[in-house]
Amino acid sequence: MSERFLPETEQQALELVRWAVAGNKTIAIQGENTKQGFGLLAETDCMVSMRNLAGIVEYHPEELVMQALPGTPVEEIKQELNKHDQRLEFEPLNLGRMYQTGGEGTIGGVFSGNLAGPRRFKAGSARDHILGIKAINGRGETCKSGGKVIKNVSGYDMSKLIAGSWGTLSVITEVTFKVLPAPAASATLAVQGLSTEQGLKLLATVLSTPCETSGLAYLPAPALAAIEPGEEPVPQDTGSPPGKGDSGGSQGERDGKLLFPDESMTLIRLEGTELSVNERIQTLRKLLPGDRKNSILNQADTTLLWSKIRDVAPLHDVHRTPAILKISTPPTAVPGLTRFLDQSGGCTWYLDAAGSWLWVGVCQAATADKLNSIKREVSISGGNATLYRAPDAVKKNTGIYSFPDSSIKNLNEKIKNSFDPGNIFNPDRLYSL
Amino acid sequence: MKMPPVDNAILQNRPALIRQIKAILPDECVIVDEAALRAYETDALTAYRQRPMLVALPETTAQVADVLKLCSRLKIKVVPRGAGTSLSGGALPLADGIVLGLGKFNKILDVDFDNRCVVAQSGVTNLAISEAVNHRGFYYAPDPSSQIVCTIGGNVSANSGGVHCLKYGLTTNNIMGIEMVTMTGEILRIGGKYLDPAGYDLLGIITGSEGLLGVITEVTVRIIQQAQTARAMLLGFPSNEAAGECVAGIISSGIIPAGVEMMDEFAIKASEDYCHAGYPVDCPALVIVELDGQEGEVTELIGQVREIAENCQVVSIQVSETEAERQRIWAGRKAAFPALGDISPDYYCMDGVIPRRKLPQVLTRIREMSDQYGLRVANVFHAGDGNLHPLILFDASNPGELQKVEEFGADILRLCVEVGGVLTGEHGVGVEKRDLMHTMFDEQDLQQQQRLKCVFDPDGGLNPGKVFPTLRRCAELGKLHVHKGNIPFPDIPRF
């Protein structure tokens, strides 16, 4: 059993790393350990949890800036932002369900994983909101980057490298990030029964209008059916206006079983002032194919539905879909990819981020061969696939990332080496050296 | 400004170098004569000048790679250059180096509306990208004020912003992929027409790296739809404090304007004298707020901003009703720089960033310093994101005045860092702020940054003398220094 440490100060964390460097000991870095399902977790000499180095250091709502220690629970951050009607615009997905660890984890984890959500195509991911970072590299030295203001080009943007490094470059000891106002109203326009091509075409049409949207997803019937029952929103038949005071007064029956109709849903989320959301819904409704049923989801249902999409709920069931790939792709490559998935069988998939993300759950026969065949298809079509969940043996065979070529992989290895020459932080988590 | 030592042996080999470069590039792509080289001896920071050995203007990525391989082999320093609009001396040549100009990389390669992106060669201007897509209502969001001439490759190197970046982000938030050639001649393709490239965020580290990591030859940018409507408000205030309070009030109320600009009394008067935009010249502070979105929404927001302004002692309010009026409100702001150029032989534009709440304090201090130095200062401020542009007026023909201006400028930037801000918001470090990097970063911070430089350019041949105050050898940076090995820390809790 490796030794487990809970540093409470930056200094303690620094001492720990220096001790590890001197003794060439490997360290697993974690917050609340909610995302250990990502990558390969090797046996290490010791574990360090940053959850006791916690708390919001500075928050100035009018400056749109928050600074927090890495162990601060995401929940606490959200609550504090909520008090000032602000939010994390990048809508980080909660991996707690995917990895069956429950919680949402710490803010350090959110940035380490460069998490994002359905707003990705518009608002970016965690890396787009990080402003500054303090960290300890694998040499036992502190290194900071960025600042506490929302515009800064002083030196390399090293914070962005650390975002998405999954604890393989450094131990984060403080993070500063941009926050934004939460809009007063939201609603979802849901269109039933479109084919993948038709759904994508509709999403592209919506993006060619000035009607700013903050969520564009396409869920085929099997993905909808895989969302665990109980609390799914029911599409309303007619469009009543969305808004704050509208507390789930859906006109459809909510019997706990009825989910969506047994056909695909193309989903369009709008956020903003109540007036603006209504204006845009009316404009967009005119663009919809006349022969398909459409409905409007109110604010409460919108929040619930998009949290399911964000958290990859259609693929949660680990027995049904033990392996999960997130494919980042040009939207025009999606019809070819989904045809391949459907023909080869055994996959549940849906589209998020305006068709730029294809989440794929691979069923029981989630062998390395199967995943590799999908990854090959993805690389031919000009995108890349990240393995979010799979049995360890499969992860080892297929790798977590699909690097486009060896030069990019090489650069990754050199960057790792520049921060952590002894390969002591989360060794082999992302790829083996 | 101290630049890396000149290697005389390399200077003496210039004729051989010219022959070797001409073996790679057509004759017309190699500039060697003194008069023509003069056009490249400076960028938009004209206080610094240096003629390079030659200027290479390759036409293909393969040529870029060959030129870099050659220079790498011969240990010749290379300064990449787009349109030369850097305000921090990022493209300042070196006496014993060559300038690698990307001016011939001027083609838009792919306009892809279905995937909402444009693929352009790196020498395409920022504005040309928006012009290529605006017939369908799209545009490329970052709009630095030099957008008519500055190149997209230069934008990536500088992580350029613009007046709309509070709402729409900087270059780093709006690009999807690049093609880049490293100093060793390796051609890298990073990202593409998709989000989230695999592995560490290489795009993130290259964007804003000021031409020290590679030569960018192609960029894939994200395009978005223009808002249905945009309207501008011009608000006059009795003090900088009241103006600052109004901006804070707008943002606290949940409104993110498309742009928020502030001007101080001196800037207002100079601009109004110059272009007669109808600015209230008796106001000590002006705020321009641009709101965009759906028509009804914009009208609603204008009402809210008016109310906030009225609670902050606003003394003058103009709201654009037509596109022409919106343009007129912006015209005064856009004229601020030329207006100051008109009343003073020279001006020096600074680029600090501060937490917005510190603005009154910072402006007061700048005023005091202005008296001490005996140099006039006008302030324009991207108030939404705290980016302050003090413009110091001077006359370079007065002996010693430029040096005094630089000292004043450095004092302003130290003040920005002291109040919790940073050295540069959008102009870059370049040579201009290189020696101030220690005010923000300690030696260990800078060494880790320089190790990243080593990842891409182990011999340090690309744009040396910029960004980092001290040149270091990669072998020295790579050494692992073990701090201490005694275990235990009984005081650290276990779990």
Side-chain angles (χ1 to χ4, degrees), chain B residues 320-333:
Chain B
S320 73
E321 298 296 336
T322 62
E323 180 57 19
E325 284 178 26
R326 188 182 76 88
Q327 297 287 357
R328 176 184 58 78
I329 287 176
W330 278 108
R333 164 65 183 84

Side-chain angles (χ1 to χ4, degrees), chain B residues 460-473:
Chain B
L462 201 56
N463 220 3
K466 316 287 167 68
V467 182
F468 299 109
T470 314
L471 288 176
R472 290 182 190 285
R473 297 170 62 85

